Amino acid sequence: MTEFKEFKLPDVGEGLTEADIVAWHVKPGDRVEVNQVIVEIETAKAVVELPSPWDGTVARLLAEEGQTVDVGVPIIAIDVAGSPDSSERSSVPAPATESAPAAGETAGQPKPQPKRQAVLVGYGVKASSTTRRPRKTATAPAATAPAATAPAAMALAKPPVRRLAKNLGISLAELAGTGPGGSVTRDDVQRAAGDTRVRSVSAVVEDRARTGLQERIPVRGLRRHMAAAMVSSAFSAPHVTEFLQVDVTETMAALRRVRDLPEYAGVRVSPLLFAARALLAAVARHPLINSSWDGDAEEIVVKHYVNLGIAVAAERGLIVPNIKDADALTLPGLARSLQALTETGRAGKATPADLAGGTITITNVGVFGVDAGTPILTPGETAILAFGQVKDTPWVVDGQLAVRQACTLSLSFDHRIVDGALGSAVLRDVGSMLEDPIRILAWT
């Protein structure tokens, strides 16, 4: 006897409402076991592997790779005949067509609005079927024929206007003058020249699109979430960015000594470790930098713990996983956490829990050979520090010119919470600790 169960897309955390099907690991006819990974989905937070909740045989895949599916909508049907748990039964109907109205409906009558239904995990969703997001296609603008005008035997225009028209290749006879007595003015000629250039550029763009020289990349999952978050942050929090060039010669010397210590065996120790420790010490000295803005309550929420976000350039887009309670870690513990979180993020294995709850962020733009930048705040945070590349730089030391290792620090902050004095104090403290690492010990 055939017994089907439909596995509905669950809310994997954070109250998400939809996900994209990335890759199926099974196909119709395959045997599956409980907890066997059957599909990879991409949410607004991360790529997640979903296991099978039952033993059985795959009857049908109800969503295709690349589809966006609402939470609570069935994505796979499994024949569980003979399995211990077969209390839930449902047939797997063939895909419905839209050629005829459903029973009980009459043509012209609007369909009743679907009601929200309960789901086993997360929030209720609208009862709907999976739908593929329509592909956007470039459409050529409809050509409109200009109204024909009878050319005058001799257009009225002053000599400078005639000279301008000749230089621009514009025929005065084809222009309707707006000057006194219907004369053609300089503005008429320039307007006609501008229209000609716009038509020319438009033609080039359309031609390039037709010849395949343009590519359209769907914006989904992590990239869509990142884009929305950056727009929201940039246009809700008034950003201010300050810069400070720092002599980090002593920090680089300390870094080389730390690498040789047995506590750091097997750990990749980079200058980012000292920058992160310096930022944590600065937060302890200036707690307001580690806060958030609650607009509804009209309050500033100061966090007396630090979940340190690390900006990671993953294959699917920018993500910011965070080290929970980073301020409570020892330096070796912080080094291991930095390495583990970075590797997990780059591999696309960061979980929604890794990405949630950050309080302040650091981004290492120096690994890309960049000196500085104006980083955008992670939504819900007040500050982000960019650590630039370390390079040999001419530097004045005790009145003498010398070659030192230097880098540029960039601190962006929310000006609703942090004024220039506080932002400058935080940046100056981080710079002072990187100039002389002993201050990290003295200030913590």
Side-chain angles (χ1 to χ4, degrees):
M1 180 178 177
T2 301
E3 300 178 2
F4 293 109
K5 286 187 178 182
E6 293 181 345
F7 178 44
K8 299 177 181 180
L9 181 69
D11 177 356
V12 294
E14 298 297 311
L16 301 172
T17 60
E18 65 179 16
D20 296 334
I21 304 297
V22 176
W24 284 105
H25 291 196
V26 295
K27 61 183 182 299
D30 286 354
R31 289 286 303 172
V32 294
E33 299 177 350
V34 172
N35 293 331
Q36 175 184 337
V37 174
I38 57 175
V39 65
E40 289 182 21
I41 64 171
E42 183 177 9
T43 71
K45 298 287 188 180
V47 176
V48 180
E49 294 179 339
L50 296 183
S52 172
W54 312 294
D55 293 329
T57 303
V58 177
R60 181 178 298 164
L61 304 182
L62 304 179
E64 299 178 4
E65 293 181 358
Q67 274 188 270
T68 299
V69 184
D70 290 337
V71 169
V73 172
I75 59 174
I76 186 172
I78 298 177
D79 182 359
V80 296
S83 64
D85 179 14
S86 58
S87 58
E88 295 181 9
R89 301 184 182 183
S90 62
S91 61
V92 184
T97 62
E98 298 180 0
S99 57
E105 293 181 4
T106 58
Q109 286 185 337
K111 296 181 180 180
Q113 294 297 320
K115 298 181 179 179
R116 299 183 70 86
Q117 61 182 9
V119 294
L120 295 179
V121 184
Y123 299 96
V125 297
K126 294 184 295 185
S128 62
S129 60
T130 59
T131 54
R132 179 181 294 276
R133 184 182 291 108
R135 184 183 299 277
K136 297 180 181 180
T137 56
T139 56
T144 57
T149 56
M154 183 65 177
L156 297 177
K158 297 179 179 180
V161 175
R162 294 182 181 278
R163 190 181 310 111
L164 176 63
K166 181 178 180 181
N167 293 338
L168 296 177
I170 302 298
S171 173
L172 292 175
E174 297 177 357
L175 301 183
T178 59
S183 62
V184 178
T185 66
R186 176 180 291 272
D187 289 342
D188 296 333
V189 174
Q190 291 176 336
R191 189 179 305 110
D195 291 344
T196 301
R197 284 195 294 270
V198 169
R199 285 194 297 271
S200 176
V201 171
S202 177
V204 170
V205 171
E206 293 171 15
D207 182 64
R208 286 177 179 259
R210 285 194 297 268
T211 56
L213 296 179
Q214 294 181 357
E215 178 184 7
R216 289 181 176 267
I217 301 175
V219 180
R220 299 192 180 110
L222 288 176
R223 190 174 297 276
R224 180 174 59 188
H225 174 72
M226 180 269 291
M230 292 298 97
V231 170
S232 173
S233 176
F235 291 98
S236 63
H239 285 55
V240 172
T241 305
E242 294 186 341
F243 304 89
L244 179 65
Q245 195 171 28
V246 179
D247 177 0
V248 295
T249 305
E250 296 301 325
T251 288
M252 298 305 292
L255 184 67
R256 290 189 291 270
R257 296 177 63 185
V258 164
R259 286 171 176 165
D260 295 334
L261 296 177
E263 291 83 358
Y264 298 87
V267 181
R268 183 180 180 275
V269 180
S270 73
L272 183 65
L273 173 62
F274 281 79
R277 175 56 74 188
L279 179 59
L280 293 171
V283 167
R285 289 166 60 85
H286 309 281
L288 194 60
I289 200 72
N290 187 55
S291 61
S292 62
W293 180 270
D294 187 340
D296 294 335
E298 295 185 341
E299 294 175 340
I300 295 172
V301 183
V302 182
K303 318 291 178 61
H304 295 293
Y305 58 91
V306 182
N307 292 343
L308 181 63
I310 309 296
V312 177
E315 181 180 353
R316 297 181 180 275
L318 173 68
I319 60 174
V320 188
N322 61 82
I323 301 172
K324 302 297 189 288
D325 297 316
D327 53 322
L329 295 176
T330 63
L331 194 63
L334 182 61
R336 291 189 178 86
S337 296
L338 279 172
Q339 178 173 319
L341 201 65
T342 302
E343 290 176 353
T344 300
R346 287 175 179 167
K349 300 299 183 181
T351 66
D354 292 332
L355 300 167
T359 62
I360 194 168
T361 297
I362 187 169
T363 176
N364 187 5
V365 298
V367 296
F368 305 112
V370 173
D371 292 333
T374 54
I376 295 178
L377 297 173
T378 303
E381 298 180 12
T382 291
I384 177 172
L385 178 71
F387 183 74
Q389 67 171 328
V390 177
K391 60 182 181 180
D392 290 342
T393 305
W395 204 269
V396 177
V397 180
D398 297 329
Q400 300 294 320
L401 187 63
V403 176
R404 305 286 285 181
Q405 291 181 287
C407 77
T408 300
L409 304 175
S410 312
L411 181 69
S412 291
F413 50 86
D414 185 340
H415 215 354
R416 294 174 300 182
I417 301 173
V418 180
D419 58 21
L422 176 57
S424 300
V426 171
L427 186 58
R428 181 63 259 174
D429 278 2
V430 174
S432 296
M433 285 182 272
L434 293 179
E435 286 176 346
D436 183 3
I438 295 298
R439 289 193 177 99
I440 298 179
L441 299 176
W443 292 351
T444 56

